[in-house]
């Protein structure tokens, strides 16, 4: 019997790599995001992927996805991202609301909608894609740091509340990952500023590196819960300690 994995934010970066990887591991993958054309291309290329138009900020959209599922064994709450690097004193409230809505409430909407299916499966895995920004604060991190801390807390609370149920709660917290769009979105489309983030860093993580870690976490035996996996490139010893050449 094939298991079903739902991956949000599967139209680019870590989500797309995770959809590919879980399909290769033998899952039926439901790949959700707003940009349907990109999902259709992914599904045409990789057998076992079903594209679904999904906006995690819309309850209606999340409900539609939930209603389309026969089963759900794995949920990867990956959709998210950062907007801006302004100090808190100069922050735009709308940016913070947007980051909270996508990263935190988006994960909450998916969790509420699919948790019954995960439990029903008898061995469900809910994976929360947070960030080292959810563990350590940094200047300019503002709303993103706050949102990722909230997601990380949600994972901890869920693990406590669901103790005794057949569902594992896993948090994967990556450091610097060079994806095509994350920094571009953070810098509102300024590609020079986005490129500067990774400048001189020998081998930041790739989306495939994180997908590999996610695949490992969700394919452990049912009794093994990886509470939190922190993954950084070798060049990033800590948030403020990045080796550049
Ligand atoms: N890159 C890094 O350095 C890094 C480090 C640590 C953690 N992370 C986290 O990893 C996750 C993926 O990041 P990434 O680097 O792969 O970024 P990315 O390439 O920008 O991908 C973000 C994905 O989220 C989707 N998304 C955004 N808003 C959405 C919405 N309202 N509904 C549904 N999907 C939505 C996007 O698809 P559409 O636009 O098509 O909807 C896209 O597929 C995020 O949660 C991010 O915070 C990234």
């Amino acid at each position: 019997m094939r298991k079903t994995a739902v991956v949000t934010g599967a139209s680019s970066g870590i989500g797309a790599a995770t959809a590919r990887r879980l399909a290769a591991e033998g899952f039926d993958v439901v790949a959700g995001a707003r940009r349907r054309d990109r999902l259709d291309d992914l599904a045409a290329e990789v057998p076992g992927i079903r594209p679904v138009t999904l906006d995690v900020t819309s309850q209606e959209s999340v409900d539609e996805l939930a209603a389309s599922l026969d089963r759900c064994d794995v949920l990867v709450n990956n959709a998210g991202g950062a907007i801006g690097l302004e100090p808190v004193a100069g922050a735009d409230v709308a940016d913070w609301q947007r980051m909270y809505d996508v990263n935190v409430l988006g994960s909450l909407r998916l969790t509420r909608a699919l948790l019954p299916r995960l439990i029903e499966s008898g061995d469900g895995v809910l994976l929360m894609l947070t960030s080292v920004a959810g563990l350590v604060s940094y200047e300019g991190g503002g709303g993103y740091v706050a949102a990722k801390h909230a997601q990380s807390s949600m994972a901890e609370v869920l693990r406590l509340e669901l103790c005794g149920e057949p569902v594992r709660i896993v948090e994967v917290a990556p450091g610097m990952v060079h994806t095509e769009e994350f920094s571009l979105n953070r810098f509102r489309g300024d590609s020079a500023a986005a490129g500067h983030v990774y400048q001189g860093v020998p081998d930041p993580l790739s989306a495939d590196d994180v997908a590999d870690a996610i695949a490992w976490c969700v394919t452990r035996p049912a009794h093994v819960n990886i509470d939190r996996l922190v993954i950084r490139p070798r060049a990033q010893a800590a948030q403020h300690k990045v080796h550049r050449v």
Side-chain angles (χ1 to χ4, degrees), residues 114-130:
L114 299 187
L115 197 50
R117 296 296 182 86
L118 291 170
I119 292 171
E120 240 169 61
S121 77
D123 173 24
V125 183
L126 188 157
L127 190 141
M128 198 74 90
L129 207 296
T130 62

Side-chain angles (χ1 to χ4, degrees), residues 2-5 19-20 22-24 26-31 42-51:
R2 281 167 71 86
K3 292 185 168 185
T4 297
R20 283 175 193 278
L22 293 183
F27 286 89
D28 283 330
V29 176
V30 176
L42 183 65
E45 200 190 312
V46 184
I49 294 185
R50 176 164 76 87

Side-chain angles (χ1 to χ4, degrees), residues 8-16 32-39 54-58 61 77-82 98 101-103 129-133 144 148 151 172-183 185 197-198 205 207 210 231:
T8 69
S11 63
S12 77
I14 295 167
R34 293 166 302 173
R35 286 170 297 173
R36 182 57 186 263
D37 52 332
R38 296 178 68 119
L39 298 173
L54 170 72
D55 181 349
V56 300
T57 68
S58 155
S61 177
N77 275 322
N78 163 79
R98 184 77 196 152
D101 202 10
V102 179
N103 291 281
L129 207 296
T130 62
S131 165
V132 291
Y144 184 63
K148 288 301 188 189
Q151 253 186 292
V172 171
M176 189 181 273
V177 191
H178 196 171
T179 53
E180 47 194 294
E181 296 186 342
F182 178 83
S183 290
N185 288 332
V197 172
Y198 311 102
L205 295 178
V210 182
I231 174 171

